[in-house]
Amino acid sequence: MKTFLRILIPALFIFNLTALNAEDGYRLWLRYDLVDNPVVLGQYRKAVTGYMTDGNSATATAVKNELQMALKGLLGSQVPLVTEVRKGTLVAGTPESSKLIASLKLGERLGRLGNEGYLITNSKYKGKKIIVIAANTDIGVLYGTFHFIRLMQTQQGIDNLSVSSSPGTRVRILNHWDMLPVPGGRSAGNTIWKWDDLPGKLDPRYTDYARANASIGINATVLTNVNADSRLLTVEYMEKVAALAGVLRPYGVKVYLAAKVTAPMEIGKLNTADPLDKDVIAWWKKAADELYKYIPDFGGFVVKANSEGQPGPLDYNRTHADGANLLADAVAPHGGIVMWRAFVYDNKVPEDRIKQPYNEFIPFDGKFRKNVILQVKNGPLDFQPREPFHPLFGAMPKTPLMPEFQIMQEYFGFTTHLVFLAPSYEECLKSDTYCKGQGSLVAKIIDGTLTDYELTGMAGVSNIGADRNWTGHLFGQSNWYAFGRLAWDPYISSSEIADEWVRMTFSNKDEILKPVSRFMVESREISVNYMTPLGLHHIMAAASHYGPGPWVDKDPRNPREDWTSLYYHRADGNGIGFDRTTTGSNAVGQYFPPVRDIYNNIATCPENLLLWFHRVSWDHKMKSGRTLWDELCYKYNDGVNQIREVQQVWDRLKPLLDAERYENVRERLVKQVRDARIWKDGCIVYFQTHSKKPIPPGVEKPEHDLEWYKTHRYTDIPGMFGTP
Ligand code: GCW
């Protein structure tokens, strides 16, 4: 009996622990498990023996709660909240809320940090060693607190702290592309917003959403799709939005809405939405006044207008500036802003699609109100695996521009493929536009270093959904994380971000940290290789946007030319690629010299953008000495082999990982490897019908004939758009 109990009791204990710590990914990177390095743990326990927070605001309470939770978890036992300083007290507050912090005379250093920045330093108070997290506002203290917690999660030293940090951009915003529920049945899909339960019932998940965002400095969110629903501006929805705003507010996350230009007609019963019509002007003013009654700190609107069927000012022979300024005037008295999207194109305009945003917006530089910012996708087309940077960056000195990145992997295998996107964000931010000579990086334009932009921001199309682990693929979390970190600091590198995220999410141990962060950083290039190497773009399956579709000559949703693959790759017996040089569409002309000349010349154009800018013969000699055709085949082949290697690395890590999270990724990698092969084979057999050349030696032979790839349907890929 005794022996039985001896076995049973620990077994029960272990079972319970496992149950409590279900590794379902819900905790994201905010995992506060015991520091597993005894030396580091010892140092932390000595350095932090208690914590002291002051202030009564909801944000100050959030600081207190977070510290309590984090310290208890990381250090293994309750760390007391103290009212008297003792050795090892962690003091968090503002000079207003905390007498102690006021006495440290940090004024000058804090002065430079603005409303959201913070300091973290070691100090002495009455001869006792303390750690100080200080800021000008409670929200700054919260950001500093999360930074401090991150230092412990990533096992950094905390005895010599001298951190001072403030955000590089002002509006660090998620754009959810979720739809509102459609009356009479269809659900809102995979959204975390439970619209039917609001405003009465608040899912505790909203608080964790806010915590996660605050932990990486995201301070804003657009709740629904930019293909907007005017019901959002009805009182019924304002109440729901206000309830959400109430949960997010203590964490510094402001709510914004997608506005539909025709809302005055759809819900206001006006017979026009003309931005210069006086009734329309009055309607928006009233709508904004009403919104601010419900949500006094409402952020403002994001607008997609005259793009992909969305209504806009051009329908009334007005301009984008007229449309944006109308809304800007309505929210200005309340401090709101308008983010007007530059993602516009029209198949009726006889012009290379990628040139249209630049052409449409350049004439209006300086014509927008002060509280308008243009939201510009990282590249001129549409979130493709690789694009050059958008030529609008640097070209509108009198109009603030904010980049829009896609976190949701619409063209990167949705929630099935492992693709860490920081390298693609970084590639755009570190692109040199030369708008003011060498060193005019996109990052320096959008953060105001090289411009007079008072309003700055960065938008990320969110991948957050109702899955227990938030993003479906566990590694999708890293893209949310990366976006937030870069919006705060547009200069940090992908490898730093990967390193932090792996440490916090998986482990600080080298045997996990090193291989995982390495394949994360490589994963984006791997996907480019098996999907769209050498500057290919928009050759995915129509509608679903999953899998290859270089043969797409008609989109089932709309038979427009600029939604086909043929429009973009232009392959025939002579060669492949879109001539955008001075002898072609001259899209290169939208860049500053010398960028335009570099892109324009086939000898200097980076090979990873070759087919974006050039039409190239199949026999063209590449830098490797191979022909273009052979190089293309090898790139596809490399992509498949590289993702197989990632799969092997992951499998080898199995004994070191918890079963649940290991399995989440393993199962998806199986599909990713399968579908990378389909991409490679499908593209090679299709392009071979044009090149008529043999597949070079060493490239794995395609499994099927072209017809198979053309008719293949995926039945096990969540998140895919529509069908085929
Ligand atoms: O990538 C395309 C998507 C559309 C999206 C559009 C946009 C919200 O396929 O679903 O619409 O971009 O960015 O407006």
Side-chain angles (χ1 to χ4, degrees), residues 16-63:
N16 259 332
L17 264 187
T18 335
L20 277 177
N21 280 332
E23 290 293 10
D24 54 14
Y26 182 82
R27 293 187 293 162
L28 297 159
W29 49 87
L30 297 175
R31 300 157 59 82
Y32 300 147
D33 294 340
L34 184 67
V35 173
D36 63 2
N37 177 326
V39 178
V40 178
L41 178 62
Q43 289 163 356
Y44 289 174
R45 283 183 172 156
K46 241 164 93 190
V48 187
T49 60
Y51 68 101
M52 187 185 245
T53 62
D54 292 286
N56 303 314
S57 71
T59 304
T61 307
V63 169

Side-chain angles (χ1 to χ4, degrees), residues 136-150:
N136 295 309
T137 63
D138 288 345
I139 208 66
V141 178
L142 183 65
Y143 290 148
T145 299
F146 276 116
H147 187 137
F148 180 74
I149 294 171
R150 178 164 75 231

